[in-house]
Amino acid sequence: MTAPRNSSRRLRSLRYSSEKMEGTGSWDVLEWTKPDQASWSSSFSNLDCLLESERITFECCGVLLINTGEAGTLLLTNYRILFLSEGTRDPVPLGTIPLVAIEKFNKTVLKAHSSRHHSTQNPPKRLLQVTGKDMRIIVYGFPPGTKQRRSLVDALLRCSNTERVWDLYAFTCGPSNFGNTNPKERLLNEYFRLLGKGSSRASMNMIEDGSFSVSNDFWRITDLNSNYNLCPTYPFALMVPKSISDEELTLASTFRAKCRLPVISWCHPGSGAVIARSSQPLVGLMMNMRSNFDEKLVASFCTQLSGHKGAPRKLYIADARPRKNALANGAMGGGSESSSNYLQSEIVFFGIDNIHAMRESFSRLRDYLDMHGTTSSDGTSSFLRHGGWTWGGGNLSSMSASVSLLGESGWLSHIQSILAGVAWIAARVAMESASVLVHCSDGWDRTTQLVSLACLLLDPYYRTFAGFQALIEKDWLAFGHPFSDRIGMPNVSGSGSFELPIQSSSASSFPSSPVRQTSGSAATQSPGSSHGLNNYSPIFLQWVDCVSQLMRMYPCAFEFSPTFLVDFTDCLLSCRFGNFLCNSEKERQECGISDASGCLWAYLTDLRSLGGTSHAHRNPLYDPSRYNGPLLPPAAALAPTLWPQFHLRWACPVEPDAAETEVQCRAMTVKHLEMKKGKEEAERKVDALSSTVESLNEELRKERNISRAAKESAKRAIRERGVISRAVQSLGCKVNFTRNGDCTVEVEDGPQRCSHSIPQKQTDVSDSISSASEEKVCEAMLCPLRAREGTCRWPDAGCCAQTGSQFVGLKANFEAFDKLSIYDSYFTAE
């Protein structure tokens, strides 16, 4: 969802007086006229905004969205309230809310102040205030003289009071295009990763056969709870110490509330430290009850420290509750551990309040944002309320008072308490290699918040899309956080159905905000109000808020963006998908949730795939190479702030313009990535050209060396040729060299002349020598090399020792010269 924008469009059925709008009379200038039903289309079945299997059950025309002063049509479907703009028929985000996301609604009648000008013209304004679980308060105005509001309330009660979980829209829609794979397989795969067995992959056959009992040196996976007989709110597979048998686990579970015995949630792959979780021990009123099996199980988390000569590691038992609350639970059989009974242990209390305090704090925060927002549920800006007293008047004392109201809500204080506890746990595990056992009362609210946030800080895998899903499915869903009770949804039996509370207030005038109840009227809430239900509490919303605080502190450490957290939270509150239905893994299995409904994770993955790397869910600043280890925030950084993308998107739609800034940032990121790719491509080309130039330079150096050596050889050859020529001529022979490298020796003996050719190649010389007796015949009769048979003994003539030795040297020189393949014409005269 995106934040609504203030529209300048005014009601066609409303006329605004030219009188100056005053703080106490701003609603009196409105005049209603009965809408023309003929101007509205009677059929909305072909709307593009309708989801699959979503059908319209009720229709109201001429409705005013008081928050923004925008007119339109209100449609009630089997999934949500859909408010369409009058002109465009586009859904207005602020006025469109899923039915399950409604916490309560009130019928209110606003009377105009009696005056001569308005007594007859301004009848009472009939309003319907809808309070959402996502921090918004919506007010719809209905034209007088009609029964639309009464009919809408009746239709809302019929649609919202679902008695069974199967009546929700998630089952009407079905799996559709977002099928849900079995979450048990994903849980086992996460266990395998933690145990260092990531190469193993879980399958349904493995689950059915019970063959998933994988282990490493210290820990193992047990199927003791495969039928949920040990603990109905725990997952089917548990990670426990390898040294503890299943029989000992069974006996240890009887000493913990709800049988939620200590089990491992996360283990450090290097140091062997673990984060374990459980419920409170049943130490009794006198705090003197003990269990040897529970003590042995907890002591087994203190494995030996590697490299410390067998020294046992420290164990911290972190009790999330205030100390006085833990002691008070002793009256009901609960309580806390004694460090004297648990080896190498230390007990720490975090002082985090219970679900009831969180529920009231969340409600006060929502009221504060509605009162002091840019546009409140009464349609009046905080700048104009009370004549400009709140913000626009510039009264510093009034500003301080409004800020103090934020502090009085206590929401940020609760966030800070949780973050401080989480940072403490992460520091003990990362810096001391200590193991930590975390629990509260039942071990499924505050315990889950602390354990999952500590894992988020310690393990960078959980800061990715896949890891974030694995973390939530492991610590929130598998370990039995009661989502149906905390969010307010029907459960399996139907006995815990969450009926939308309706409050009716008598006709009255509101000097400031029409949706504000005085301290006296607030006490008259009906017993069915969500604030009267003990189980409703925004525990998971508080955890997501803590995640957003960590993302603010470490903006480059998370693969996902704040926009992803908002869309994820909206999907959860809408119950459009079945992942977060019911209170435990056992209940979801009994209902067949994974087979009968769509998967939230598949839907979000599909959204990201359509947007590619520039999708709004992806963090453009993510740097995994920089943040590949634990995050240990200092105490000074744990001061929380309001989460703009979630807390302020309805009350202050202008403030969270981070969305627009984020769009610009993403555009710049895409451009940066394109430029980076171009730079990398240019660098590759430069490297290739550099390599080519280097190879050419190397070849040039080789050529120069060859040329230099050739010149030296040529010089030597020229000198040797001169010497040889003079030596041959001294024998009375004349040596002639041709341009093609042939050499001719002429022997003169008086008037007779004999000419002999020296072959150019070595093979030619040998052939000429071998065939000299057959082919060569001396032409001169008086030649000294002529044999009796008439054949020529050149060049093997042995009749003259001097001639023979000179010829051998001449032959060797010419052979060497011939191998160089260098011709006389190649060189230039120096």
Side-chain angles (χ1 to χ4, degrees), residues 464-469 559-561 564 567-568 600-619:
T464 65
F465 285 110
F468 191 71
Q469 174 184 347
E559 185 181 11
F560 44 86
S561 66
F564 167 79
D567 291 346
F568 164 72
L600 180 149
W601 307 111
Y603 169 73
L604 295 177
T605 302
D606 185 69
L607 287 182
R608 292 195 301 272
S609 63
L610 296 177
T613 57
S614 60
H615 193 269
H617 288 178
R618 300 185 184 275
N619 180 12

Side-chain angles (χ1 to χ4, degrees), residues 531-764:
H531 287 246
L533 297 175
N534 288 331
N535 290 329
Y536 171 74
S537 186
I539 297 299
F540 188 77
L541 293 182
Q542 191 177 49
W543 180 81
V544 178
D545 195 345
C546 291
V547 175
S548 73
Q549 304 293 337
L550 295 177
M551 295 177 66
R552 177 182 57 85
M553 287 185 269
Y554 300 98
C556 302
F558 294 82
E559 185 181 11
F560 44 86
S561 66
T563 304
F564 167 79
L565 289 183
V566 174
D567 291 346
F568 164 72
T569 304
D570 287 343
C571 289
L572 183 148
L573 294 176
S574 70
C575 293
R576 179 182 173 185
F577 306 98
N579 301 74
F580 294 87
L581 299 178
C582 303
N583 286 327
S584 64
E585 181 183 276
K586 177 184 178 182
E587 291 184 3
R588 282 186 289 273
Q589 178 175 302
E590 292 175 351
C591 293
I593 297 293
S594 60
D595 297 327
S597 61
C599 178
L600 180 149
W601 307 111
Y603 169 73
L604 295 177
T605 302
D606 185 69
L607 287 182
R608 292 195 301 272
S609 63
L610 296 177
T613 57
S614 60
H615 193 269
H617 288 178
R618 300 185 184 275
N619 180 12
L621 305 177
Y622 180 50
D623 188 359
S625 60
R626 179 182 175 187
Y627 294 95
N628 58 355
L631 303 178
L632 302 177
L638 298 178
T641 62
L642 288 177
W643 179 14
Q645 291 87 347
F646 185 77
H647 292 146
L648 303 180
R649 58 174 171 163
W650 308 120
C652 305
V654 179
E655 293 303 324
D657 267 345
E660 184 176 352
T661 305
E662 189 175 347
V663 171
Q664 296 176 358
C665 180
R666 292 185 184 281
M668 294 176 63
T669 302
V670 172
K671 187 176 182 179
H672 171 70
L673 291 176
E674 293 176 352
M675 296 176 65
K676 186 177 180 180
K677 291 180 180 179
K679 178 184 176 183
E680 292 175 353
E681 182 66 23
E683 288 178 348
R684 285 194 295 268
K685 291 181 179 180
V686 169
D687 292 340
L689 290 175
S690 299
S691 178
T692 303
V693 170
E694 184 64 27
S695 62
L696 291 175
N697 288 334
E698 183 65 25
E699 292 179 1
L700 180 59
R701 285 193 294 269
K702 292 180 179 180
E703 289 292 337
R704 286 176 178 175
N705 292 335
I706 293 174
S707 176
R708 189 179 300 110
K711 288 182 179 180
E712 294 295 332
S713 299
K715 291 179 181 180
R716 290 195 303 269
I718 293 173
R719 289 193 297 269
E720 292 175 357
R721 186 184 66 174
V723 173
I724 294 172
S725 297
R726 288 191 297 269
V728 173
Q729 291 174 1
S730 65
L731 297 176
C733 301
K734 185 178 181 180
V735 181
N736 298 320
F737 292 92
T738 62
R739 299 185 65 87
N740 59 3
D742 294 336
C743 179
T744 303
V745 180
E746 297 180 358
V747 181
E748 296 183 358
D749 187 12
Q752 302 294 327
R753 176 178 295 180
C754 180
S755 178
H756 305 276
S757 298
I758 299 177
Q760 183 179 359
K761 299 297 181 181
Q762 178 67 26
T763 54
D764 297 338

